Amino acid sequence: MASRTPDPVETLLKSGPRRTTLPEPAQRARLRTDYGLSQAEVAEALGVARNTVAGWESGRSEPQGATRAAYAKLLEGMAAQLAPRPGDAQPTQTAQTGQEPPARASAAQPGPARPAADSRRQTAPGGPRVKTAPQATATAPADRRRGPRAKAAPKETAAVPADPRFADGPLAVLDGDGSAYGVDGIVLDSPATDLPALVDWALREAKLGATRLHRHGKDADPLIVLTASAAGRFGLPSVLEDRRGLRLPDDHPVVRGLARAEWQLTRRGFGPWARIYRPAQEGRRQCVQLAVLPWGALDTRAWGDADQLDAPELARVLGDYATRVITPRGSAAVCGLELMTALRPPTRPVKDEAAGTWVSGPNSGALTQAVDPAPPEAPDEHPVVASLYPRGHRRTAAEVLDEEAYEWIRDPELLTDGECARQFAVGVDVNMAFAAAANRLTLGLGAPVHVKAPAFDKTVPGSWLVDLSHIDFDPRLPNPFTPHGARPEGPAWYATPTVAYAAELGHDVRPIEAHVRPESGPYLDAWYTRLRDAYMAVMERLGVVSGMSEADFLAAMEHHKDADPAQAAVLSAIKATVKGGIGKLRERPQGAGYRPGQRWPSLERPTWRPDIRAAVISAARINMHRKMLKLAEGAGLFPIAVLSDCAVYLSDGPGPLDFLPRTPDGKPLPGGFRLGVSPGMVKHEGTQSMMWAAQMLDEGHNPARHIKGADAAADGE
């Protein structure tokens, strides 16, 4: 009998049933890399180009016809051979389709059989109840990952990156028994008993990390989150005694152990967020980020009670944030600033034609170097200010740029009889106000240039000394040119959006002088887009989607945080990332040893830019005033209080629909506040009685701060 040419797919697989359904693109790449094949080998077996296989794995294209059937057969066979053997835990998802099977019983089930010397607890730290991890996929290698506990994985979890280097996701939450919980229900075994071994495991064995967000950027380092039990396992104290410096002393045994193993710490030392590294070798970073939960790594103002979650659930929360925003590497403010740099890296490779080599060069549209601010933009502690004014000098509006969010209340004497007859005070709050203000905002990229008597140009970012005190507004509205809402008393410094609004209203503006930045661009556009997408995705998980009717939106917002407390924590962190990131653009000096006039470390980074912070806050305040002015002119509605992005109006009914004006055809008044989930639209902030609001005004308190029954500033909204 004539010999038959073997099927190349059969040569790779040797066995396996035939299917035509394909898994998701990311799963295709994971199957191939876990099986040990290259894209070139798969391409050769299927008779296609390697780039074609790369397209299938990235989702850019799909195989068709006979090639699709052969590719499905290959993936199916790899999944079958990688599936757990009898006695191992069963997967919750089929490798072929990624669909979840019917829910299992909620009773806890034992994990996979393990040698007695490597047994694992089934109860969560701190309590007897079983808290199960989401289940791992069928393709998890048996030597690095463990099987599931008892609970099926949620259908929506953070997507595992397609990059095989980071197949286990961006981070892991480590428990005291060596269980490292990652995204998508992955559970890894970490044998490390000291921190040098843990760092080595994270870099060499665990496939942790995340791909760069920009082609000229850097991949995210692995993040290991230490629970209280894990911190104790590695000899870390349960309480960080140095509450001022927030770091272990340099002579602590853990710090000395890292030094003996030739690992280094950054200048901030070993604190709640510790970065442990060695110099890069052959272009590869050797760096691991640690977050120590018992030391307060997750600030409750940003993350709520997330640090009280069991390790598997916390991994899901942090994994969602890492996948949608950025791998956490400090406070929400730090993450906001790091996200700016990750999306617009300061450098890119450029060809040195003379030497014929590639060197680092500035990246167009990014902040490429640290620059000193113009004198009015600098905070009082800055050396620029110290060189101009004597110590203790209090700068006037003509000497300092004071672009801050609104903090205004109406004089109670200006309440009309009609307003006093209303029963309710209703607050509306702008969604993601600072993020919305940053969108499409032209910002300065380089150092300021001082000019005398310039013609105002709204397209040029900068700080302008101009007299706007002659512009008059109805006293029932806050003045748009000051954060306290009172009329300016003379010439003052303003960011471009504020002066542009005066020109928009038809007033003649003639700057006396200015510090302008000719090099400019929409630096924060990508930052806004990523945070907007993350915010919208999490809101959708919480049952609030774009396009809902106003009544449905208000109903959904009433209890959206109760729908999934874990996702509510992610939402809170996203909001804090926006506000904290903008605030950190003007980070002040810290530490008891600082003296006014000295430089502090933040000044040396390109993202220390108080002028950008001022421009964003200016745009947010102007956006707020523009909407309030539309309501005043179009419907005779005036606020009684404004706090940052929240405005309070008096109403005959308890909700926003009872006072927000409509056009004759029933649509929201153009240019005014519109209810909805998108950034820049508004939600219901809270309702109190009119008498309550009147008493607050009489006592000089801001009703907008307490309209929801709590301190709005403390709440982080």
Side-chain angles (χ1 to χ4, degrees), residues 139-157:
T139 60
D143 60 338
R144 295 191 307 111
R145 302 180 185 172
R146 285 195 282 116
R149 298 290 176 96
K151 190 169 76 174
K155 290 185 179 180
E156 292 187 270
T157 54

Side-chain angles (χ1 to χ4, degrees), residues 297-331:
L298 298 182
D299 191 334
T300 56
R301 292 171 295 181
W303 293 95
D305 296 328
D307 62 347
Q308 302 300 313
L309 296 172
D310 292 333
E313 188 72 357
L314 178 59
R316 182 168 78 95
V317 169
L318 296 177
D320 279 353
Y321 179 89
T323 302
R324 299 191 184 282
V325 182
I326 194 172
T327 302
R329 57 193 70 182
S331 68

Side-chain angles (χ1 to χ4, degrees), residues 480-543:
F481 308 132
T482 62
H484 48 73
R487 183 199 294 254
E489 297 178 353
W493 285 97
Y494 303 102
T496 296
T498 302
V499 185
Y501 185 53
E504 175 188 323
L505 295 175
H507 300 285
D508 185 27
V509 292
R510 299 186 179 184
I512 302 168
E513 60 178 303
H515 296 274
V516 298
R517 287 175 165 80
E519 184 186 358
S520 62
Y523 176 70
L524 291 176
D525 272 13
W527 184 81
Y528 161 78
T529 299
R530 187 163 179 86
L531 287 164
R532 176 205 62 194
D533 291 349
Y535 163 79
M536 294 293 285
V538 173
M539 289 298 287
E540 183 174 353
R541 285 189 175 185
L542 293 172

Side-chain angles (χ1 to χ4, degrees), residues 372-379 384-385 388-389 395 399-401 448 493 515:
D372 276 342
E377 299 165 351
V384 168
V385 178
L388 293 176
Y389 304 102
R395 290 186 288 173
E399 297 171 329
V400 62
L401 179 69
W493 285 97
H515 296 274

Side-chain angles (χ1 to χ4, degrees), residues 219-289:
D219 296 330
D221 299 318
L223 168 63
I224 303 296
V225 181
L226 301 181
T227 61
S229 58
R233 177 182 183 181
F234 296 116
L236 298 175
S238 58
V239 176
L240 192 58
E241 294 183 0
D242 182 2
R243 301 311 301 170
R244 180 182 293 273
L246 291 178
R247 58 189 291 166
L248 283 179
D250 293 339
D251 60 353
H252 191 278
V254 169
V255 178
R256 293 205 309 266
L258 289 169
R260 284 195 300 270
E262 299 183 345
W263 289 105
Q264 301 178 35
L265 295 167
T266 58
R267 182 165 47 188
R268 65 186 177 189
F270 200 118
W273 291 90
R275 184 165 298 206
I276 304 172
Y277 72 98
R278 286 173 180 157
Q281 293 184 350
E282 299 179 354
R284 295 190 61 184
R285 290 168 60 84
Q286 300 183 89
C287 183
V288 172
Q289 179 82 57

Side-chain angles (χ1 to χ4, degrees), residues 442-704:
T442 301
L443 299 165
L445 301 177
V449 176
H450 184 232
V451 291
K452 286 284 190 179
F456 176 69
D457 186 344
K458 67 179 182 180
T459 67
V460 177
S463 301
W464 311 78
L465 180 62
V466 59
D467 190 351
L468 302 178
S469 62
H470 62 284
I471 302 176
D472 194 25
F473 291 91
D474 191 303
R476 292 174 293 175
L477 280 175
N479 189 288
F481 308 132
T482 62
H484 48 73
R487 183 199 294 254
E489 297 178 353
W493 285 97
Y494 303 102
T496 296
T498 302
V499 185
Y501 185 53
E504 175 188 323
L505 295 175
H507 300 285
D508 185 27
V509 292
R510 299 186 179 184
I512 302 168
E513 60 178 303
H515 296 274
V516 298
R517 287 175 165 80
E519 184 186 358
S520 62
Y523 176 70
L524 291 176
D525 272 13
W527 184 81
Y528 161 78
T529 299
R530 187 163 179 86
L531 287 164
R532 176 205 62 194
D533 291 349
Y535 163 79
M536 294 293 285
V538 173
M539 289 298 287
E540 183 174 353
R541 285 189 175 185
L542 293 172
V544 187
V545 299
S546 180
M548 301 176 82
S549 70
E550 292 177 321
D552 289 344
F553 167 72
L554 291 173
M557 288 295 293
E558 283 293 321
H559 305 290
H560 73 289
K561 293 183 179 179
D562 300 329
D564 185 341
Q567 287 301 299
V570 180
L571 178 65
S572 175
I574 292 172
K575 291 180 178 181
T577 301
V578 173
K579 287 192 173 182
I582 296 299
K584 206 167 179 65
L585 289 166
R586 195 188 65 173
E587 184 176 8
R588 311 297 275 267
Q590 302 175 22
Y594 173 77
R595 295 293 179 268
Q598 296 177 346
R599 296 188 70 85
W600 59 95
S602 302
L603 303 185
E604 311 310 321
R605 65 170 189 246
T607 50
W608 193 85
R609 291 294 299 271
D611 59 297
I612 293 180
R613 173 188 178 273
V616 172
I617 295 176
S618 164
R621 194 182 68 247
I622 293 306
N623 288 345
M624 194 78 174
H625 191 274
R626 187 181 286 113
K627 296 177 188 299
M628 291 187 294
L629 184 61
K630 288 292 184 181
L631 263 63
E633 294 176 341
L637 287 175
F638 296 86
I640 63 167
V642 184
L643 178 69
S644 186
D645 45 15
C646 174
V648 178
Y649 286 84
L650 297 177
S651 170
D652 292 324
L657 290 177
D658 295 310
F659 78 89
L660 288 178
R662 321 292 291 190
T663 61
D665 57 357
K667 295 181 179 179
L669 182 70
F673 294 115
R674 297 189 62 181
L675 290 166
V677 67
S678 299
M681 301 179 79
V682 299
K683 64 180 183 294
H684 182 203
E685 180 72 355
T687 298
Q688 300 288 343
S689 70
M690 190 277 170
M691 294 302 296
W692 171 89
Q695 182 178 353
M696 294 285 288
L697 294 177
D698 287 337
E699 295 174 355
H701 301 307
N702 193 326

